[in-house]
Amino acid sequence: MITAVQPEKLLKELEHVWAELGKGHPADALLRACSMTMLVATTDPKDEVDLKNTLADLMRAHPGRMIIVRIVDEPEPVLSANVTAQCLLAFGGRQQLCCESIEIRTTRDRLADVYSASLGLTVADLPVLLWVKDIRLLQESSFQPMLQLARTILVDSVPLGPSILPALNERRRAGWRVKDLAWTRCTAWRETLAQAFESTCLQGRIPEITKVEIAYAGANPSVSGLYLRSWLAPRLPQAVFEFVPCPPRRNGNLQALRFHSTTQELELRAVDDATLEIVTSSLTTRVLAPARAEADLVEEELSILGDDPVYEATLAATIAPAPIAK
Amino acid sequence: MADANPFQDPQRFERRVPPCAVVIFGANGDLTKRKLVPSLYRLAIERRLPQGFAIVGTSRTPMTDEAFREKMEASVREHLENSHFDEAVWLEFARGLYYVAGDLGDAGLYTELTNRLATVAEERQTGGNILFYLSTQPSQYATVARGLAGLAKGNGWRRLVVEKPFGHDDQSARELEVALHEYFTEDQLYRIDHYLGKETVQNILAFRFGNPIFEPLWNRQYIDHVQITAAESIGVEGRGAYYQEAGALRDMIQNHLLQVLSTVAMEPSAVFEPTAVRDERAKLLRSIRPLKPEDVAAHAVAGQYGPAAIGGKDVPGFRGEPGVNPQAMTDTYAAVTFLVDNWRWAGVPFYVRSGKRMPKRVTDIAIRFRPVPHSLFANESARPNLLILRIQPEEGISLRFSSKQPGSGMNLRPVSMDFNYGTSFGMRTPTAYETLLVDAMAGDPTLYTRQDMVEASWAAVQPIVDAWGNRTGPDPFPNYAAGTWGPAASDEMLAARGHVWRVP
Ligand SMILES: NC(=O)c1ccc[n+]([C@@H]2O[C@H](COP(=O)([O-])OP(=O)(O)OC[C@H]3O[C@@H](n4cnc5c(N)ncnc54)[C@H](OP(=O)(O)O)[C@@H]3O)[C@@H](O)[C@H]2O)c1
């Protein structure tokens, strides 16, 4: 089955959906909110419910037009689309917040058509973001035109691991804003560390840190571990870095960061799936750092509106790292 | 200090707090239980507290550290709005809670505090930094400041947060200043006005100075008048004894609403930096025209609610509330016309009203633009534009403009364009106390009131306080029924300038 995807027709259908939704409500009961266009490219036939929930969560803070491009494997070419709107009543609110979504089902061979149709579907004057849910798509030639739709690309590099980082860095160098959820997962670690180093006493000891161990569980250090090393290295120019395997205490690859200096040791380590612990010779404290839902991670990325120089430098350094001892 | 921390990433991380101890005076009181400790705990949940952190509570009631922790746990569980209680975080947080009992007038309390703080600094690695928080009766502030003389200096920084009211008139505000300045310098003093910590009040600045399309209109040429309303539907809720001494003018207008007015009307500062922003606020407050005694009657209206049935339920008048003197002359409603004597605002009235037992709880600012200079359309001509900055309960901005009614003929009708802030989108935004506590710990006084601002706002209301205090003639109260929008005299005050109160 092939049906062309005509932007005007879809937009008209959207108007109709809105008119229907508004019926029987006072004029200000529904708020059609839009702050961006978010294109989501997915290949997972089973993620329908999860993706819908994630997008609904995102909608609270980042309402927008969602264009879901569902890439299917079918023997015959497929191209079809439908529109929906979703409303939610914020806690204590009186007005329902409503967002619209357009779902396009397509086979790979029709992606060029999806690209041209999407050009007519993005909301004028607002940012466009492309979330490549299946990172393997980045390497597929049929998907390349889709990348032209947005200057911001969001991925999760975990499924492919470090091997995809050069491709991400290439995009960055070519002018895209690249966002990687593997980096977002580092925030709890980085923030806790930054908080610990608010102590002037610890700040004074930074030049004395000569070695950093990054403890990981699993066969190899993950992208997050590599990112952390690249982020820490320029901040601790005296230190050598070492990846050390260790038993898991927490889901995920990263387990601890150990800072060795001539005078003091500091360790930031996982206690369990929800807690991190900072240990110095004089004090041990714990902070809450549960695994974060995907929507929460995406939300953090969406809240950074401009460039993200810290991540960009980290990504670049991860591609060309300083030699590491292992 | 933030610059010295190479691990900062301000785009992603919230403002960092250095290691410190927070000493709460009045730790057995209502504010500590309802706001301070729950806010600090919420900061812990969000990983915003430093590794070296402790709270030392003090008040008269004897309690062990353990009993204090249990009491605070119960308060946090009860008053934690919009977040869940996490046992593990609580255990960690509670390890840093300590308690010292004693009377504020007793020198022994300060010796004990000094000793305890030394131990706590060691145990909790607070770096010797101390934030003192005065959550006791204002009459005790000077005593505490004196008691802290020995602790006011030492390793690390010292800051003193003072709760409102900052005096009950201009004279007492100055006396308080002298008492506090004897031991603390102005840059160590953090006078809290929680209205300034509200997200939506801060958003006024973002709205005004981040959107150049409005700023050119923000002056006497285009704005006809401004109405600021802070209405509460509740009565005095058990705080009758306190409230009858304060009243709406002192409790709301002198501090919170004049701060809101200054936020709406101030000039842009060159940078968003504490001294610059506060200078502009102070300048604006000083530009408010002081009323001559003979002008007070035409510019200020006092009201007090009488009994009424609201929705089939009888509610008492103010004088019938528990703990209230049956002859109390308290203003449970106050409305004032302020005029700002500067180039931008000359001749534009700022109507400010606040009251208890109004029809609903609402705080907003309505900016009424001038009507079109010449109407093209017959019949109902275009109604003036109205910009509403909503502070609570539904934070956001609405712009009312005229639009053609569909169909033949050129009939206009007002329509509203609404924007709701993140809070309406279901996101949890920090409460005012969270914001302000972080700011004080991080040493940022931008959202705190400075002494010159306190004095300028007292100067603006003092003539009214004096006139109302020296009232003669028949008892004017009660003059509005509970559940209504205030006394008729308030409507007349606006009518004299050809204006009407809007119904929020
Ligand atoms: N509550 C609010 O919502 C609110 C809002 C804005 C501003 N404020 C301001 O915050 C401050 C505190 O208000 P609050 O409502 O928490 O008052 P509160 O409930 O009456 O508590 C007062 C506290 O001060 C202690 N205290 C009183 N006299 C003392 C003395 N001689 N020595 C040692 N401790 C003494 C009390 O200790 P014991 O209980 O052990 O006797 C109690 O812990 C006031 O300035 C108020 O104006 C409060």
Side-chain angles (χ1 to χ4, degrees):
Chain A
M1 172 196 71
I2 311 181
T3 332
V5 171
Q6 294 170 293
E8 292 82 16
K9 200 163 153 257
L10 287 172
L11 294 177
K12 217 175 228 156
E13 277 178 39
L14 266 181
E15 287 308 321
H16 181 69
V17 167
W18 282 110
E20 285 298 307
L21 260 180
K23 274 188 192 156
H25 291 289
D28 63 348
L30 304 180
L31 180 70
R32 182 179 181 179
C34 191
S35 64
M36 61 168 182
T37 301
M38 186 172 200
L39 288 139
V40 187
T42 175
T43 57
D44 182 356
K46 295 193 291 289
D47 73 353
E48 220 158 297
V49 175
D50 282 352
L51 184 58
K52 197 171 163 208
N53 290 340
T54 302
L55 295 180
D57 282 348
L58 283 175
M59 191 175 97
R60 291 168 192 276
H62 302 278
R65 180 176 293 168
M66 309 289 175
I67 305 178
I68 300 161
V69 180
R70 188 168 288 290
I71 301 167
V72 294
D73 287 319
E74 300 272 337
E76 293 292 312
V78 169
L79 184 59
S80 65
N82 69 311
V83 300
T84 50
Q86 209 181 347
C87 295
L88 64 93
L89 190 62
F91 178 75
R94 159 182 72 78
Q95 199 172 38
Q96 293 202 59
L97 176 77
C98 304
C99 295
E100 53 207 28
S101 67
I102 301 171
E103 177 154 337
I104 303 176
R105 262 171 65 82
T106 181
T107 39
R108 283 177 167 74
D109 53 345
R110 304 310 302 243
L111 276 169
D113 295 328
V114 175
Y115 163 72
S116 56
S118 300
L119 284 176
L121 290 173
T122 53
V123 181
D125 303 317
L126 289 176
V128 182
L129 176 129
L130 173 61
W131 181 7
V132 187
K133 281 274 287 173
D134 180 350
I135 193 168
R136 280 171 285 260
L137 289 169
L138 276 189
Q139 295 166 317
E140 293 183 18
S141 57
S142 61
F143 192 74
Q144 297 311 304
M146 294 293 291
L147 295 173
Q148 302 300 326
L149 285 168
R151 300 314 287 172
T152 306
I153 303 178
L154 175 71
V155 296
D156 187 347
S157 63
V158 165
L160 289 185
S163 66
I164 193 67
L165 297 186
L168 294 185
N169 195 41
E170 270 318 299
R171 287 284 151 201
R172 179 192 68 78
R173 282 161 48 99
W176 270 266
R177 275 191 191 131
V178 176
K179 294 169 178 286
D180 182 1
L181 299 186
W183 172 244
T184 329
R185 286 189 194 91
C186 297
T187 297
W189 292 81
R190 294 194 307 124
E191 194 172 19
T192 308
L193 198 64
Q195 182 64 79
F197 277 91
E198 273 304 297
S199 147
T200 32
C201 166
L202 281 181
Q203 272 172 27
R205 300 252 158 90
I206 288 173
E208 296 165 15
I209 295 172
T210 50
K211 184 169 143 186
V212 178
E213 286 178 347
I214 301 177
Y216 66 94
N220 286 300
S222 66
V223 173
S224 296
L226 297 176
Y227 276 155
L228 279 177
R229 184 207 40 199
S230 305
W231 174 66
L232 286 168
R235 289 162 177 81
L236 302 170
Q238 262 67 265
V240 293
F241 287 78
E242 200 172 316
F243 283 97
V244 289
C246 76
R249 285 167 158 238
R250 172 191 180 94
N251 235 331
N253 181 278
L254 194 60
Q255 300 296 320
L257 299 170
R258 293 187 202 106
F259 298 82
H260 302 275
S261 83
T262 42
T263 52
Q264 192 164 11
E265 310 281 290
L266 182 142
E267 182 171 2
L268 171 59
R269 65 185 179 207
V271 178
D272 53 36
D273 278 339
T275 320
L276 297 178
E277 189 169 65
I278 314 159
V279 187
T280 60
S281 50
S282 48
L283 187 66
T284 299
T285 53
R286 291 183 170 192
V287 294
L288 196 64
R292 296 164 68 190
E294 196 175 40
D296 191 29
L297 298 171
V298 176
E299 158 121 37
E300 179 179 322
E301 292 302 332
L302 291 181
S303 65
I304 298 178
L305 300 175
D307 291 334
D308 183 0
V310 177
Y311 172 63
E312 284 157 24
T314 303
L315 174 60
T318 310
I319 303 306
I324 52 163
K326 185 179 169 187
Chain B
M1 181 146 114
D3 295 339
N5 183 345
F7 303 111
Q8 279 306 339
D9 185 353
Q11 264 188 310
R12 284 178 196 259
F13 307 164
E14 301 279 3
R15 184 199 281 281
R16 310 292 356 139
V17 171
C20 62
V22 177
V23 179
I24 302 178
F25 292 91
N28 192 37
D30 177 65
L31 188 71
T32 306
K33 283 186 240 179
R34 282 195 309 115
K35 298 284 181 197
L36 302 183
V37 175
S39 299
L40 289 164
Y41 171 73
R42 235 176 271 127
L43 293 172
I45 289 254
E46 290 177 5
R47 295 195 306 271
R48 297 193 61 188
L49 291 182
Q51 191 195 8
F53 181 75
I55 298 173
V56 181
T58 173
S59 57
R60 283 176 300 207
T61 312
M63 257 188 281
T64 59
D65 288 344
E66 210 33 64
F68 181 58
R69 288 169 189 160
E70 279 167 22
K71 197 165 195 159
M72 290 302 116
E73 179 175 348
S75 315
V76 168
R77 282 182 187 274
E78 189 181 343
H79 298 292
L80 203 57
E81 298 155 19
N82 296 343
S83 354
H84 72 291
F85 183 86
D86 186 285
E87 207 75 47
V89 175
W90 174 260
L91 287 177
E92 186 63 39
F93 182 79
R95 278 169 55 202
L97 286 181
Y98 303 85
Y99 185 80
V100 176
D103 193 288
L104 296 171
D106 175 4
L109 169 66
Y110 303 95
T111 314
E112 205 185 328
L113 264 180
T114 309
N115 297 337
R116 181 62 78 90
L117 281 164
T119 325
V120 167
E122 190 64 31
E123 264 178 41
R124 303 298 302 172
Q125 299 284 300
T126 58
N129 300 322
I130 309 174
L131 182 77
F132 299 107
Y133 199 113
L134 300 194
S135 177
T136 58
Q137 301 318 316
S139 54
Q140 292 155 330
Y141 291 170
T143 315
V144 182
R146 198 173 318 116
L148 289 177
L151 267 165
K153 293 196 175 64
N155 273 344
W157 48 255
R158 302 286 184 273
R159 294 181 194 131
L160 183 69
V161 180
V162 188
E163 267 291 344
K164 72 153 201 184
F166 317 120
H168 51 86
D169 56 19
D170 53 359
Q171 169 76 20
S172 56
R174 272 195 296 275
E175 284 166 11
L176 178 63
E177 184 220 349
V178 171
L180 294 176
H181 277 167
E182 209 170 316
Y183 306 101
F184 290 88
T185 56
E186 181 62 26
D187 63 358
Q188 290 179 297
L189 287 174
Y190 285 68
R191 296 177 195 81
I192 204 162
D193 185 320
H194 74 271
Y195 257 63
L196 288 182
K198 283 180 187 281
E199 281 284 299
T200 38
V201 174
Q202 295 176 61
N203 260 323
I204 297 172
L205 291 183
F207 177 78
R208 283 191 58 198
F209 302 131
N211 296 290
I213 59 165
F214 290 105
E215 202 46 32
L217 309 179
W218 215 259
N219 57 51
R220 61 188 303 276
Q221 261 184 311
Y222 296 98
I223 292 179
D224 186 62
H225 70 275
V226 177
Q227 298 187 9
I228 300 177
T229 303
E232 287 181 68
S233 55
I234 54 169
V236 287
E237 308 294 295
R239 292 180 76 214
Y242 159 77
Y243 193 81
Q244 73 177 348
E245 300 305 322
L249 182 68
R250 283 194 178 97
D251 196 46
M252 289 296 295
I253 295 183
Q254 183 273 333
N255 38 60
H256 303 319
L257 298 188
L258 280 180
Q259 291 297 341
V260 170
L261 188 156
S262 74
T263 310
V264 172
M266 68 188 249
E267 295 298 316
S269 59
V271 282
F272 193 73
E273 181 263 280
T275 308
V277 174
R278 298 200 299 173
D279 282 349
E280 293 303 335
R281 276 191 209 285
K283 242 193 264 173
L284 189 285
L285 290 168
R286 280 197 300 270
S287 315
I288 295 178
R289 184 185 302 172
L291 291 175
K292 296 196 193 87
E294 61 272 25
D295 292 337
V296 169
H299 289 80
V301 173
Q304 188 188 88
Y305 61 87
I310 302 176
K313 189 172 165 244
D314 288 332
V315 300
F318 177 68
R319 289 171 176 175
E321 298 272 11
V324 172
N325 173 356
Q327 267 99 47
M329 294 300 287
T330 313
D331 49 307
T332 62
Y333 173 96
V336 183
T337 304
F338 289 109
L339 293 165
V340 177
D341 285 335
N342 64 18
W343 274 49
R344 191 191 278 262
W345 296 116
V348 177
F350 285 76
Y351 301 117
V352 179
R353 63 177 160 172
S354 175
K356 290 204 177 282
R357 282 264 189 250
M358 308 256 98
K360 60 170 150 173
R361 173 176 166 260
V362 60
T363 304
D364 65 18
I365 301 147
I367 291 142
R368 167 85 173 233
F369 289 87
R370 291 195 183 281
V372 290
H374 166 71
S375 177
L376 264 74
F377 310 112
N379 310 328
E380 168 85 347
S381 64
R383 290 227 242 142
N385 294 118
L386 195 61
L387 178 72
I388 318 270
L389 308 174
R390 288 178 274 120
I391 294 178
Q392 59 190 21
E394 292 218 336
E395 302 87 342
I397 293 171
S398 305
L399 178 66
R400 190 183 73 185
F401 59 100
S402 297
S403 150
K404 181 184 169 302
Q405 207 157 308
S408 62
M410 186 50 101
N411 294 320
L412 305 193
R413 69 169 183 197
V415 290
S416 172
M417 192 157 74
D418 287 325
F419 170 70
N420 284 11
Y421 279 123
T423 37
S424 321
F425 293 165
M427 279 167 73
R428 201 190 85 80
T429 46
T431 62
Y433 274 95
E434 284 169 61
T435 305
L436 292 168
L437 281 163
V438 165
D439 284 0
M441 291 187 282
D444 179 352
T446 311
L447 301 177
Y448 282 83
T449 314
R450 219 168 44 188
Q451 179 62 22
D452 55 343
M453 293 153 77
V454 173
E455 287 181 17
S457 44
W458 271 120
V461 301
Q462 191 62 41
I464 309 171
V465 170
D466 293 341
W468 291 357
N470 299 326
R471 253 190 225 108
T472 51
D475 181 357
F477 297 144
N479 59 355
Y480 72 99
T484 66
W485 283 111
S490 179
D491 297 329
E492 288 155 16
M493 178 175 82
L494 267 68
R497 292 175 191 270
H499 296 143
V500 283
W501 284 115
R502 51 181 278 278
V503 178

